[in-house]
Amino acid sequence: MYLGANVRINKIGIVVIIACLVILYLYASRRESALNVDNRNVISMKALLAGAIRAAEFGGLEVITVHDQAHITIKSKGKTKEGVNDPVTTADYRSHCTMYRSLIEAFPKIIVISEEKSVGCDHVPMPDSKFSIKDLEMDHLGKDVAVSASDVTVWIDPLDATKEFTEDLLQYVTTMVCVTVKGEPVIGVIHKPFDSKRTYWSWIDHGSSENLNNLPGPQKNKTPLLTVSRSHAGQVHTIAKAAFGEDVQVISAAGAGYKALELVVGNATAYIHTTAIKKWDICAGTAIIRALGGTVTPLFGPPDISFGPTDSTSLSLGLLATMKDHNWYHGKLSSHV
């Protein structure tokens, strides 16, 4: 009887141990699957965030490589509506190739919309795009989210501020990736290749990169400080003074990514663009600004901006971005533009 009792206890113990091992295995397998890039019909948003960051940084490396060459090939895509030359360089194309390919190879089911076309990509070396979100510090983002690949559109700008890049005004240059779900920007990545290779990112309702955490809040009763495009700053100076008075300050800058970051770090109280602008210029900045509590709308027309795969790539109604008092800025400007 005693021996039999021991045998029964051992069998029960073995069953319990096996059950525990199975549970641990399933948990570990599930956790590992969430950490790896999912290239099927359902995508891990954490993995896609990691892929977006990697893509922006890969593009930045190509931009630096071309800049360090003795000669930069510059072509023109035509004139903007303001009559400014719209240049494209080898750096734009090389950055596009590496950013586009890194995203498509990791997530073949998503749609990627880029400012540039695939030109000479066969001659652009592809960096190792195998990665895991374990490579990035994302513990503060909380639980992962799974989305259908058919709902995801990624907008990329391989080189924002190309004109300034050709003029060696490198502080304005960025590479950008924006992840949208059903047309709504939810992840924004802005990488500054020439500014200590800094990368800024946010995932709406989940968290942001450390360099965007603990930023000072918007100051109350601050004189309006507007950041605007270098290509039509004179026009905005006139509008700004009419809307806000002679004390208003207007800072001319280049690159939509650069201006969006100037807004979120408190160096401007509003980012204004009065003419048409491309959506790959503003998508990443829109996601970051909204994630940090700000607002982005057209300067004229309906309040929503859709970034879906079949939407127009151009926003013709101007742009207004603020971290606070958005309606006040919108009311003042709309009555004077």
Side-chain angles (χ1 to χ4, degrees):
M1 295 295 293
Y2 182 78
L3 178 61
N6 279 341
V7 171
R8 285 196 296 273
I9 292 171
N10 289 339
K11 285 183 177 179
I12 293 172
I14 291 172
V15 170
V16 171
I17 291 172
I18 292 174
C20 291
L21 290 174
V22 169
I23 292 171
L24 288 172
Y25 172 78
L26 291 175
Y27 174 80
S29 298
R30 184 177 179 181
R31 179 175 174 82
E32 183 62 26
S33 66
L35 292 175
N36 292 328
V37 176
D38 186 347
N39 59 7
R40 300 185 297 275
N41 292 322
V42 177
I43 294 176
S44 155
M45 289 297 285
K46 279 190 177 181
L48 189 49
L49 169 58
I53 294 170
R54 291 292 191 233
E57 292 175 347
F58 288 161
L61 291 174
E62 292 299 324
V63 171
I64 292 172
T65 298
V66 174
H67 175 266
D68 291 344
Q69 294 174 351
H71 177 70
I72 299 175
T73 302
I74 305 172
K75 297 180 181 179
S76 176
K77 293 190 285 188
K79 298 283 187 180
T80 66
K81 289 186 177 180
E82 293 80 34
V84 178
N85 183 47
D86 187 13
V88 61
T89 70
T90 309
D92 294 81
Y93 289 131
R94 290 181 66 92
S95 178
H96 160 85
C97 291
T98 190
M99 291 175 70
Y100 183 87
R101 285 166 55 189
S102 70
L103 288 165
I104 288 297
E105 288 181 9
F107 308 95
K109 300 286 187 175
I110 66 173
I111 295 174
V112 178
I113 299 175
S114 174
E115 177 177 7
E116 308 302 343
K117 299 178 180 179
S118 296
V119 176
C121 290
D122 292 341
H123 304 291
V124 179
M126 183 64 195
D128 184 6
S129 60
K130 294 180 180 179
F131 57 86
S132 166
I133 65 172
K134 290 183 290 187
D135 299 333
L136 301 169
E137 296 180 0
M138 295 186 178
D139 292 340
H140 65 291
L141 296 181
K143 192 175 181 180
D144 200 356
V145 176
V147 298
S148 172
S150 61
D151 291 335
V152 175
T153 304
V154 178
W155 295 72
I156 63 175
D157 191 339
L159 201 172
D160 193 33
T162 299
K163 181 176 181 291
E164 286 67 30
F165 173 73
T166 65
E167 298 169 352
D168 219 31
L169 298 173
L170 304 178
Q171 69 272 27
Y172 298 124
V173 173
T174 62
T175 59
M176 296 188 286
V177 181
C178 178
V179 176
T180 72
V181 177
K182 295 182 179 180
E184 289 293 321
V186 295
I187 289 174
V189 180
I190 301 178
H191 175 61
K192 288 186 172 184
F194 297 103
D195 184 7
S196 301
K197 301 179 181 178
R198 292 183 182 177
T199 304
Y200 303 79
W201 56 264
S202 286
W203 179 11
I204 289 179
D205 295 330
H206 286 79
S208 302
S209 54
E210 185 176 349
N211 50 17
L212 289 176
N213 290 328
N214 302 316
L215 293 173
Q219 298 182 27
K220 296 181 179 180
N221 302 320
K222 187 174 182 179
T223 300
L225 179 56
L226 316 180
T227 181
V228 304
S229 172
R230 294 175 72 226
S231 63
H232 61 282
Q235 174 190 357
V236 180
H237 270 285
T238 302
I239 295 170
K241 287 184 178 181
F244 302 108
E246 293 295 325
D247 291 337
V248 66
Q249 299 179 52
V250 179
I251 300 177
S252 302
Y258 176 88
K259 292 192 284 289
L261 290 176
E262 287 294 282
L263 175 67
V264 300
V265 301
N267 292 333
T269 61
Y271 165 25
I272 300 170
H273 194 91
T274 59
T275 58
I277 191 168
K278 295 296 186 180
K279 289 183 179 178
W280 44 67
D281 289 324
I282 62 173
C283 189
T286 296
I288 290 175
I289 291 167
R290 289 178 177 175
L292 297 175
T295 307
V296 182
T297 65
L299 189 54
F300 314 99
D304 294 329
I305 309 172
S306 180
F307 294 85
T310 60
D311 292 318
S312 170
T313 60
S314 180
L315 179 66
S316 60
L317 302 174
L319 186 80
L320 173 64
T322 62
M323 297 308 296
K324 63 171 296 187
D325 300 327
H326 190 86
N327 291 336
W328 181 77
Y329 278 95
H330 191 274
K332 288 281 189 179
L333 287 164
S334 60
S335 62
H336 288 86
V337 178

